[in-house]
Amino acid sequence: MNNKIKLLHIITHLPIGGAQDNTLYTIELLNKKKYDISLCCNFSGELVERAKKIKDIKLINIPILSRDVNLINDTRAFLALYKIIKKEDYDIIHTHSSKAGFLGRIASKINKVPIIIHTVHGFPFNDFMNFFKKNFYILIEKLLANWTDVLITVSNLNKKKIIDLGISKKDKIYNIYSGIDLKIFDRKNDRSFKKELKLGDNEILIGAVGRLSGQKDPITLIRAFNLVSKKFPDAHLVFVGDGPLRNKITKMIKKLKLTSKVHLIGNVHNTWPVYHSLDLFVMSSIYEGLGRSITEALSCGVPVVCTAVEGVPEIIKNGETGFLAEPRDIEGLANSIIYSLQNLSVAKKIALEGRKFVHKNFDVNKMVQEIDSVYQNHII
C-alpha cells in the first residue's frame, strides 16, 4: 500500500529563471519517501536537462503550454491538464507562474483536488500597464484566489500587496523566501570571468543577470550606462541572459557607440563566476517578485543597485544593504551607479550587510523545509 502524498507541480516551461529554479529545487530536495512527485510543463528551456536528472519523479510534457496568450493553444493546454489531473488523482497540486497558475488552478478546482497551492513568483500586472488591463488581471487573481487553499509569496511586500488589493485574505497566505544554494555562491573569489571578457584589473565591470525582456528593462540600463561611461571611461557593462529584446539592445548599443563597452554573452548555466568578477550588480526591472539574481549577487558580496519595485526593497534597503532607484528613471539609475562606483569601499561594506540578510533568510534548504511544512499542515 502506497502511503505517499501524491504531489504535482505545474509550471509553464523551464528557461533559466527564478520561478523555475525555485520549482526544481523544491522537487529535488523534498523527501521522496514522503512524496510521490510529478512535474508538468512544456519541455522547453535551458533547465529541461536538469529536470530530467532528478531521481524518483515523473515528468509530464505539455508542448502546447506557453507564456503567450493564445485562446486556441491555451484551451488545448487546459484540456491536457484537466485530463492528467482527472486520471492521476493528486492529493496536492502546486502551481507556479501566471499561465500555469491560471490553467492549473481551474483544472484542479473542477477535478476537486483536495489541496490547491499557488506560488506568486511575480504578479501578472504592473503599474506600467493600461489601467483596464491591470484591473482585469487583478480581478482574475481574485477569482483564482477563491479556488486556492494556499498562496505562497516570495516576499512580505508581495503578501502585503495581495492583502491591500483584496486579492486574498492573509490567513491563506504564507511568505516563503525563494532560496538559493548558498554553497554554490560562497566559493572563493574568482575573477576568471573578467579575464574571459579580456578586461584588465583596473577596468570596472558592471553586470546584469536576467532575461532580455520588457520586465527587466535593459534599455533603461543601457541608457543609464551611457551616462555612467562618460564619468568612468574604463567601465564595462555585461548582460548575462537572453530574450526577445536582444536585437533592439544590439541596435541601441551601436547607436550609442558602446559596442566595445557593452557585452551580450547570452545564457550562462553557472553564474557564480560572473558575480565574483563584478564590481557592481545592477537590476533595472519595472516589476519583480523579489529578484533572485539580487540574492545571488549579495551572497557573493557584490554591491547592488536596483529599482525599487515590488519585493525588491525588502532585500535592498537604500544605503543599508544596497542602493535603489525608481523604475525607468535613467538619470536616477545612473546617479546610483555613479555614487556606488565613486564610493566603492563603502558600497562593499553595505553589500556585506546584504550578504548577512541573504544568508539568514535565503538558504534553499530552509525554503524547502517551509514548503514541506505548508504541505503537511494542509493534508486532510
Side-chain angles (χ1 to χ4, degrees), residues 38-79:
S38 297
L39 172 65
C40 181
C41 62
N42 178 337
F43 284 7
S44 65
E46 295 81 4
L47 297 180
V48 171
E49 290 308 309
R50 175 180 164 187
K52 289 180 178 178
K53 291 176 183 177
I54 303 174
K55 293 181 180 179
D56 302 319
I57 70 162
K58 182 180 179 183
L59 296 175
I60 305 166
N61 185 17
I62 300 184
I64 206 69
L65 189 59
S66 66
R67 279 181 77 160
D68 300 328
V69 177
N70 182 303
L71 187 59
I72 295 172
N73 288 345
D74 290 346
T75 301
R76 290 172 63 194
F78 169 77
L79 291 172

Side-chain angles (χ1 to χ4, degrees), residues 16 35 47 210 336 360:
I16 293 172
Y35 296 99
L47 297 180
S336 292
K360 182 179 179 181

Side-chain angles (χ1 to χ4, degrees), residues 282-350:
V282 182
M283 192 188 73
S284 53
S285 301
I286 60 170
Y287 63 96
E288 196 76 46
L290 187 69
R292 188 181 196 80
S293 55
I294 302 173
T295 58
E296 293 175 346
L298 285 176
S299 74
C300 297
V302 181
V304 170
V305 172
C306 296
T307 44
V309 293
E310 305 292 358
V312 172
E314 196 162 323
I315 309 177
I316 303 303
K317 300 191 186 317
N318 199 35
E320 294 179 24
T321 56
F323 296 97
L324 294 172
E326 292 303 312
R328 289 192 175 163
D329 180 357
I330 297 166
E331 287 190 12
L333 186 63
N335 288 339
S336 292
I337 294 170
I338 290 167
Y339 179 84
S340 297
L341 296 178
Q342 286 175 336
N343 302 276
L344 205 51
S345 60
V346 174
K348 287 179 179 178
K349 287 180 182 177
I350 287 171

